[in-house]
Amino acid sequence: MRIKGKTKICVLLGYPLGHTLSPLMQNAAFSYRRLDYLYVPWEVRPENLERAVAALQVWENFRGANVTIPHKERILGLVDRLSPEAQAIGAVNCLSLREGCLFGDNTDGKGFLLSLQEEAGVEVEGKRILLFGAGGAARAVAFALAWSGARRISLVNRTREKAEVLASHLRGFAPSCHVEAHSLDGGDLPDLIRESEIVVNCTSVGLSPKDPPLFDHRFFEASSLVCDLIYNPQETRFLEAARRAGCRTIGGLGMLLHQGALSFELWTGEKAPLQTMRRALEGALGFRT
Ligand code: ATR
């Protein structure tokens, strides 16, 4: 690629930035669409975040950013405007420019919804959904599900109090959705799974194949669609057990892809080349297709 004086720049803002697939995915998309854009990592220590955001506002080439750990929450107070999603979730993962203003959005939850639609043809309206976890990822997914008309969301978390806090926020934002909080070791898990059309792992359990299972996988019911937000390994033990129980399964790559595609569209105004982006991700992860 040829970088010019006017090349438009998008950055990934985080600290530290170890293994990230976003530069690969976004640059593949820019190059496929023949856009004079470049996506680069930008490691910014927490104590420098304010100055970094100020620098973005005077950088004429700047067109957008993804925001990752540890800045997703703190950056809320540093942007000019926020989407309703970012405001409710309390985290920003995407910055773009709107009429010269820095706009903070959250595309994680929408990315998950799109992966359900595209990979399983599933709409969440009217569905009963069980989410494992109550951290940042669970929060983004739960809000997107509640706003899309889920009938019931059962939050199951190791620390029940965290599920309670998230449940009460969700009830405030989506009063028509029935939200419950449960603890992971409560005896009601088999019933909850049986009653849920969609089951999602939003915890970090499974990132390592050595992780002990979150719960007794014999509880899976063949009628559920089972999703894991983890994209590496391609099939976690959670998903493998669900598949063996006869469930349809979806891994986390689709959410990574779609949140990136939504960012691309905000920055360029063009439709994201999904196949190109997916191939870039699968190639880097060594997935079989
Ligand atoms: P993320 O931003 O990826 O969601 P997080 O906010 O740290 O990360 O949340 C991690 C989630 O995984 C939490 O729901 C956490 O449960 P607790 O709230 O009880 O900490 C869950 N989690 C992590 N390790 C776990 C384990 N070994 N068993 C069960 N749940 C676990």
Side-chain angles (χ1 to χ4, degrees):
M1 87 161 306
R2 289 175 54 199
I3 299 172
K4 308 186 202 88
K6 298 280 185 199
T7 296
K8 299 169 185 74
I9 307 290
C10 297
V11 301
L12 173 61
L13 203 56
Y15 189 85
L17 292 174
H19 46 275
T20 168
L21 295 172
S22 293
L24 187 86
M25 165 169 68
Q26 298 294 352
N27 286 319
F30 293 148
S31 139
Y32 181 82
R33 287 272 181 258
R34 297 183 185 282
L35 294 169
D36 186 19
Y37 274 67
L38 178 67
Y39 186 104
V40 291
W42 195 22
E43 282 196 311
V44 173
R45 290 177 188 268
E47 61 270 28
N48 293 325
L49 183 64
E50 211 161 320
R51 285 192 293 155
V53 173
L56 292 179
Q57 282 160 322
V58 296
W59 191 4
E60 296 292 335
N61 308 63
F62 174 74
R63 287 298 177 278
N66 284 131
V67 184
T68 187
I69 293 165
H71 304 316
K72 283 180 150 189
E73 287 88 20
R74 240 194 81 214
I75 208 162
L76 280 174
L78 301 176
V79 300
D80 300 316
R81 284 161 58 194
L82 284 171
S83 71
E85 286 86 352
Q87 210 152 14
I89 295 165
V92 164
N93 79 327
C94 180
L95 297 177
S96 57
L97 291 173
R98 288 201 185 172
E99 294 142 8
C101 291
L102 203 53
F103 184 78
D105 203 344
N106 194 309
T107 61
D108 283 334
K110 280 180 271 185
F112 177 71
L113 293 180
L114 284 170
S115 85
L116 279 186
Q117 286 164 359
E118 303 267 320
E119 314 211 351
V122 167
E123 298 291 339
V124 302
E125 192 166 359
K127 297 281 191 315
R128 292 166 302 177
I129 301 165
L130 190 162
L131 293 191
F132 288 105
R139 196 171 168 81
V141 167
F143 270 96
L145 293 170
W147 272 329
S148 301
R151 172 148 58 108
R152 191 186 78 186
I153 298 179
S154 308
L155 299 168
V156 180
N157 198 42
R158 176 177 60 181
T159 315
R160 186 188 165 134
E161 298 71 47
K162 279 167 74 180
E164 296 279 7
V165 170
L166 177 53
S168 84
H169 284 164
L170 281 168
R171 289 184 199 113
F173 276 92
S176 59
C177 179
H178 179 79
V179 187
E180 299 166 355
H182 300 265
S183 100
L184 193 53
D185 53 16
D188 43 4
L189 197 51
D191 288 339
L192 286 174
I193 293 179
R194 197 170 312 116
E195 292 163 7
S196 302
E197 285 110 346
I198 304 174
V199 174
V200 192
N201 176 32
C202 303
T203 76
S204 45
V205 176
L207 274 169
S208 161
K210 291 190 196 122
D211 286 344
L214 200 52
F215 61 94
D216 186 341
H217 286 160
R218 285 173 301 183
F219 295 163
F220 277 125
E221 294 276 339
S223 54
S224 314
L225 170 69
V226 177
C227 316
D228 202 325
L229 302 193
I230 294 171
Y231 57 83
N232 194 17
Q234 185 173 17
E235 187 178 61
T236 55
R237 285 175 68 189
F238 177 84
L239 284 190
E240 186 192 353
R243 178 173 55 78
R244 288 187 191 282
C247 307
R248 278 204 297 162
T249 62
I250 300 186
L253 191 89
M255 175 170 167
L256 175 69
L257 169 71
H258 286 286
Q259 63 76 30
L262 289 164
S263 298
F264 177 95
E265 290 172 1
L266 285 168
W267 302 331
T268 66
E270 295 212 17
K271 204 163 160 29
L274 288 172
Q275 285 315 319
T276 299
M277 295 169 88
R278 183 186 289 278
R279 269 198 302 272
L281 293 174
E282 287 175 345
L285 291 163
F287 287 179
R288 51 184 167 71
T289 50

Short mmCIF file of all heavy atoms in Angstrom, two decimals, residues 133-137 157-159 162 184 203-205 214, ligand 1:
data_model
loop_
_atom_site.label_atom_id
_atom_site.label_comp_id
_atom_site.label_asym_id
_atom_site.label_seq_id
_atom_site.Cartn_x
_atom_site.Cartn_y
_atom_site.Cartn_z
N GLY A 133 -22.52 -14.93 32.70
CA GLY A 133 -21.59 -13.81 32.86
C GLY A 133 -22.33 -12.53 33.18
O GLY A 133 -23.54 -12.40 32.93
N ALA A 134 -21.60 -11.58 33.76
CA ALA A 134 -22.18 -10.27 34.07
C ALA A 134 -21.10 -9.20 33.96
O ALA A 134 -21.20 -8.15 34.58
CB ALA A 134 -22.80 -10.28 35.46
N GLY A 135 -20.05 -9.46 33.18
CA GLY A 135 -18.98 -8.48 32.98
C GLY A 135 -19.28 -7.60 31.77
O GLY A 135 -20.44 -7.48 31.34
N GLY A 136 -18.24 -6.97 31.23
CA GLY A 136 -18.41 -6.03 30.13
C GLY A 136 -19.05 -6.66 28.90
O GLY A 136 -19.93 -6.06 28.27
N ALA A 137 -18.62 -7.85 28.54
CA ALA A 137 -19.15 -8.49 27.32
C ALA A 137 -20.62 -8.84 27.51
O ALA A 137 -21.46 -8.61 26.62
CB ALA A 137 -18.32 -9.73 27.00
N ASN A 157 -24.49 -15.86 36.87
CA ASN A 157 -23.10 -15.46 37.09
C ASN A 157 -22.55 -16.09 38.37
O ASN A 157 -23.28 -16.37 39.31
CB ASN A 157 -23.00 -13.93 37.19
CG ASN A 157 -21.59 -13.44 36.98
OD1 ASN A 157 -20.88 -13.93 36.09
ND2 ASN A 157 -21.14 -12.50 37.80
N ARG A 158 -21.23 -16.33 38.35
CA ARG A 158 -20.57 -16.87 39.54
C ARG A 158 -20.85 -15.96 40.73
O ARG A 158 -21.25 -16.42 41.79
CB ARG A 158 -19.05 -16.96 39.26
CG ARG A 158 -18.23 -17.41 40.43
CD ARG A 158 -16.78 -17.53 40.05
NE ARG A 158 -16.20 -16.25 39.58
CZ ARG A 158 -14.95 -16.10 39.17
NH1 ARG A 158 -14.15 -17.15 39.15
NH2 ARG A 158 -14.50 -14.93 38.78
N THR A 159 -20.67 -14.64 40.53
CA THR A 159 -20.96 -13.67 41.58
C THR A 159 -22.37 -13.14 41.34
O THR A 159 -22.60 -12.31 40.46
CB THR A 159 -19.95 -12.50 41.54
OG1 THR A 159 -18.64 -13.05 41.39
CG2 THR A 159 -20.02 -11.65 42.78
N LYS A 162 -23.30 -9.33 41.00
CA LYS A 162 -23.02 -8.60 39.75
C LYS A 162 -24.14 -8.82 38.73
O LYS A 162 -24.50 -7.92 37.98
CB LYS A 162 -21.66 -9.04 39.17
CG LYS A 162 -20.51 -8.33 39.87
CD LYS A 162 -19.16 -8.91 39.58
CE LYS A 162 -18.63 -8.61 38.22
NZ LYS A 162 -17.28 -9.23 38.03
N LEU A 184 -24.46 -19.10 39.56
CA LEU A 184 -24.03 -20.25 38.76
C LEU A 184 -24.25 -21.57 39.50
O LEU A 184 -24.53 -22.60 38.88
CB LEU A 184 -22.54 -20.05 38.44
CG LEU A 184 -21.88 -20.91 37.39
CD1 LEU A 184 -22.63 -20.89 36.08
CD2 LEU A 184 -20.45 -20.42 37.18
N THR A 203 -18.79 -15.32 29.56
CA THR A 203 -17.69 -15.30 30.53
C THR A 203 -16.37 -15.56 29.79
O THR A 203 -16.36 -15.88 28.60
CB THR A 203 -17.85 -16.39 31.61
OG1 THR A 203 -17.52 -17.66 31.05
CG2 THR A 203 -19.25 -16.42 32.18
N SER A 204 -15.29 -15.44 30.52
CA SER A 204 -13.98 -15.71 29.90
C SER A 204 -13.61 -17.19 30.05
O SER A 204 -12.52 -17.59 29.63
CB SER A 204 -12.94 -14.83 30.56
OG SER A 204 -13.10 -14.84 31.97
N VAL A 205 -14.51 -17.98 30.61
CA VAL A 205 -14.20 -19.41 30.81
C VAL A 205 -14.23 -20.12 29.46
O VAL A 205 -15.23 -20.08 28.76
CB VAL A 205 -15.19 -20.05 31.80
CG1 VAL A 205 -14.94 -21.54 31.92
CG2 VAL A 205 -15.08 -19.37 33.15
N LEU A 214 -17.82 -24.49 32.97
CA LEU A 214 -18.57 -23.51 33.74
C LEU A 214 -19.66 -24.19 34.56
O LEU A 214 -19.99 -23.76 35.66
CB LEU A 214 -19.21 -22.56 32.72
CG LEU A 214 -19.70 -21.19 33.08
CD1 LEU A 214 -18.65 -20.38 33.79
CD2 LEU A 214 -20.13 -20.47 31.79
P1 ATR B 1 -15.35 -9.21 29.89
O1 ATR B 1 -15.08 -7.76 29.65
O2 ATR B 1 -14.69 -10.14 28.92
O3 ATR B 1 -16.79 -9.50 30.06
P2 ATR B 1 -15.04 -9.24 32.74
O4 ATR B 1 -15.79 -7.96 32.79
O5 ATR B 1 -13.82 -9.41 33.57
O6 ATR B 1 -14.59 -9.56 31.27
O7 ATR B 1 -16.07 -10.43 33.08
C1 ATR B 1 -15.68 -11.77 33.14
C2 ATR B 1 -16.91 -12.64 33.39
O8 ATR B 1 -16.49 -14.01 33.41
C3 ATR B 1 -17.58 -12.39 34.73
O9 ATR B 1 -18.96 -12.64 34.60
C4 ATR B 1 -16.91 -13.44 35.63
O10 ATR B 1 -17.68 -13.83 36.74
P3 ATR B 1 -17.60 -12.98 38.14
O11 ATR B 1 -18.47 -11.80 37.93
O12 ATR B 1 -18.09 -13.92 39.17
O13 ATR B 1 -16.14 -12.62 38.32
C5 ATR B 1 -16.82 -14.60 34.66
N1 ATR B 1 -15.77 -15.55 35.06
C6 ATR B 1 -14.44 -15.39 34.93
N2 ATR B 1 -13.78 -16.49 35.41
C7 ATR B 1 -14.75 -17.35 35.84
C8 ATR B 1 -14.73 -18.66 36.41
N3 ATR B 1 -13.58 -19.30 36.60
N4 ATR B 1 -15.91 -19.25 36.70
C9 ATR B 1 -17.08 -18.61 36.46
N5 ATR B 1 -17.17 -17.37 35.92
C10 ATR B 1 -16.02 -16.75 35.61
#
